[in-house]
Amino acid sequence: GYTALTGIKAIPDINPEPGSLETTTLDALEWRTYIPGLKDPGGALSFTANNTEEFQSEWADLVEAAETGTKTNLSTWFAIVIPGLTKAFYFAGDPSPLGLSAIEVDAVLEISPYITPTQVHGWDTKPTGE
């Protein structure tokens, strides 16, 4: 099962543009041709959350569980669930321990938790291999 994280305020874009592989042959007179290449999720994904005791505790538990799973060749899967949609967006990744967020006067204390994707499944009702 999945555990909901409390206080998430922003989710990054996980919609990378595929590379383009040129397939133009010597008989082309005007246009180059291409096929889609690989997609790059761009390394660590930065989320935004309210920096509360509850969130810090949940995130620490997540990091610990992910580290334990990695030792036994298990992946940590994430599901981004959007109310009103029948599918969720699934990806596996490694969460990083929290650091110290920026602190400002007259502002909500926020933090940027990071997850480095190791596999992107995409939209589904439940991914296989999870």
Side-chain angles (χ1 to χ4, degrees), residues 80-91:
I80 298 174
V81 178
I82 300 171
L85 296 182
T86 58
K87 295 180 180 180
F89 190 89
Y90 294 91
F91 69 99

Side-chain angles (χ1 to χ4, degrees), residues 8 14 27 58 61 64 67 79 82 86-87 89 98 100 104 111:
I8 297 290
I14 311 174
D27 59 346
E58 291 170 354
D61 291 346
E64 183 178 341
E67 289 172 350
I82 300 171
T86 58
K87 295 180 180 180
F89 190 89
L98 295 174
L100 178 65
E104 299 178 32
I111 192 151

Side-chain angles (χ1 to χ4, degrees), residues 29-112:
L29 299 175
E30 185 176 355
W31 296 97
R32 292 179 184 265
T33 58
Y34 297 88
I35 59 172
L38 298 175
K39 294 180 180 181
D40 181 2
L45 302 173
S46 176
F47 293 74
T48 302
N50 286 326
N51 193 358
T52 62
E53 288 285 339
E54 184 177 16
F55 179 78
Q56 285 194 13
S57 177
E58 291 170 354
W59 193 263
D61 291 346
L62 171 63
V63 169
E64 183 178 341
E67 289 172 350
T68 300
T70 298
K71 292 176 186 173
T72 57
N73 294 322
L74 295 175
S75 297
T76 301
W77 281 89
F78 297 87
I80 298 174
V81 178
I82 300 171
L85 296 182
T86 58
K87 295 180 180 180
F89 190 89
Y90 294 91
F91 69 99
D94 297 323
S96 297
L98 295 174
L100 178 65
S101 61
I103 301 169
E104 299 178 32
V105 172
D106 200 26
V108 173
L109 185 61
E110 297 177 335
I111 192 151
S112 297

